[in-house]
Amino acid sequence: MKIFSNILAAPAKPKPRPVKKQQRRGIEIKSEREIEIMRQSCKIVATVLKEISQIVKPGMTTADLDAYAEKRIREMGATPSFKGYHGFPGSICASINNEVVHGIPNKKKVIRVGDVLKVDTGAYYQEFHGDSCITIGVVEVAPEAAKLIRVAEEAMYKGIEQVKAGAYLLDIAGAIQDHVEANGFSVVEEFTGHGVGRNLHEEPAVFNFRTKNLPNVKLRAGMTLAIEPILNAGSRFTKILSDRWTAVTVDNSLSAQFEHTVLVTNTGYKILTDRS
């Protein structure tokens, strides 16, 4: 999925990842060999998300999608990054409508026409993670929901377009925030993107809003970042449900999210989880 949770407040649960090694500290610059492995882990993630976008239909449950994702990730020689992380039970996070992030797959959660469905997943391949998220409008969604989904994806690419060696995290954040707010939506601040590689969550925190409370890191070639804006149609504020994972909007408004794992290069960027 993502994310450093409640990064401006008390520490909360980050996104699921398998606990395989002790968390490394600091920002890692990947070698060419490591980048090539990450290309494969990210390709697996991109393949799974593309397939899910093609097979999802009303009447399926989020547990159906979770089972499909785990099967495909394992078939391609990887393991699900999220499953078992801090007890998270799924291989995907499946969040519907007002659910913002970290929705737990459930056989009782039926997908319906008009739903705004967020599917976030990761794959762990040869000791490196790939991470990505898409938002799917199920069959036909309301015009406001369609706009929210479109702007969320556009905002992600607006941020990605700022990426190159020598740029700063605030360049990414400002581009995302400006596009979101110009379209009348709000940026969720409790969750951010992150570095990704040997660990599903690495430094730095890749924020989607202007702030002086997080380090404005200068980008270097070889960094790998999960860039993932989360937009709400109403208030930016969220709350955690009693399952201690699922975050929802406080005003019951819709939420959308997109995420790519991106490699910083000297001249720009490479989207490692490109689904095209």
Side-chain angles (χ1 to χ4, degrees), residues 25 56 71 81 90 141 149 173 184 192 196 215 229 237 272:
R25 296 185 181 276
V56 66
K71 177 176 178 288
S81 295
V141 298
I149 295 170
T192 75
V196 59
F237 294 102
L272 301 183

Side-chain angles (χ1 to χ4, degrees), residues 201-215:
H201 280 128
E202 298 180 347
E203 295 181 18
V206 183
F207 42 95
N208 303 306
F209 53 95
R210 292 182 177 88
T211 179
K212 295 181 180 179
N213 295 322
L214 293 169

Side-chain angles (χ1 to χ4, degrees), residues 213-275:
N213 295 322
L214 293 169
N216 185 24
V217 173
K218 185 176 183 179
L219 304 185
R220 296 170 56 194
M223 289 182 179
T224 45
L225 308 174
I227 296 175
E228 49 181 323
I230 307 172
L231 284 59
N232 290 347
S235 168
R236 72 170 179 84
F237 294 102
T238 69
K239 61 182 179 181
I240 307 297
L241 297 183
S242 60
D243 64 14
R244 302 183 66 185
W245 280 103
T246 309
V248 299
T249 56
V250 296
D251 58 1
N252 205 40
S253 62
L254 295 176
S255 187
Q257 176 198 359
F258 281 88
E259 174 186 19
H260 270 314
T261 295
V262 177
L263 169 69
V264 181
T265 71
N266 284 317
T267 57
Y269 59 88
K270 294 289 185 182
I271 299 175
L272 301 183
T273 48
D274 183 13
R275 293 181 299 278

Side-chain angles (χ1 to χ4, degrees), residues 60-64 96 104-112:
M60 297 181 75
T61 70
T62 56
D64 293 332
I96 297 178
I104 299 174
N106 190 319
K107 63 183 180 181
K108 295 182 179 180
K109 187 175 290 185
V110 178
I111 298 165
R112 305 184 188 281

